Amino acid sequence: MGKRQVKSESDLKEIRLPEEGEMFGRVLKMLGGENVLIKCTDGVTRRGRIRGKLKRRVWIRDNDIVIIAPWDFNESEKGDIVWRFTLPQVEWLKDNDHIPKDF
């Protein structure tokens, strides 16, 4: 087995924008396990769940900008975290008016 390659945040160039049914959100608080409290761009505070695909690969902290996909049946309360943005990516999103400057 080889060593695990650690990439710095500036090496990650791929940027994903929200698709239909997804929105930006800011992590307010880690609730434990796979649950986090997220303030979404539509003004609703939801409980987000870190998907299994991201759980061990991407570390999510307070004040991170993420893409959240609200659930179909509990849309105003819960959703899945689909993507986390790095600091350079957040600056790019703010410069190109995808998210507000004070978000």
Side-chain angles (χ1 to χ4, degrees):
M1 281 179 40
K3 288 187 177 179
R4 182 175 172 179
Q5 184 180 11
V6 178
K7 296 180 180 178
S8 67
E9 289 191 349
S10 60
D11 292 342
L12 304 172
K13 300 288 185 208
E14 181 183 353
I15 287 189
R16 182 182 185 279
L17 295 175
E19 298 170 0
E20 186 177 338
E22 298 176 343
M23 65 187 78
F24 289 108
R26 177 181 291 278
V27 176
L28 296 178
K29 184 178 180 183
M30 301 297 293
L31 298 175
E34 59 189 23
N35 297 311
V36 294
L37 201 61
I38 299 174
K39 175 78 171 177
C40 299
T41 52
D42 60 355
V44 178
T45 302
R46 292 180 171 86
R47 184 166 57 185
R49 184 179 62 118
I50 302 171
R51 289 182 49 203
K53 194 174 187 179
L54 295 177
K55 199 181 293 184
R56 290 176 191 87
R57 295 190 180 117
V58 177
W59 293 104
I60 296 178
R61 300 174 298 272
D62 288 351
N63 294 322
D64 278 347
I65 303 295
V66 295
I67 294 178
I68 184 169
W71 290 358
D72 294 336
F73 55 90
N74 221 352
E75 189 173 324
S76 64
E77 295 178 19
K78 297 181 183 179
D80 284 332
I81 295 177
V82 179
W83 187 264
R84 179 186 69 95
F85 292 101
T86 60
L87 291 175
Q89 291 172 343
V90 170
E91 295 301 320
W92 183 87
L93 289 171
K94 287 181 180 178
D95 291 341
N96 291 325
D97 296 327
H98 291 288
I99 57 176
K101 301 267 187 209
D102 60 349
F103 182 67

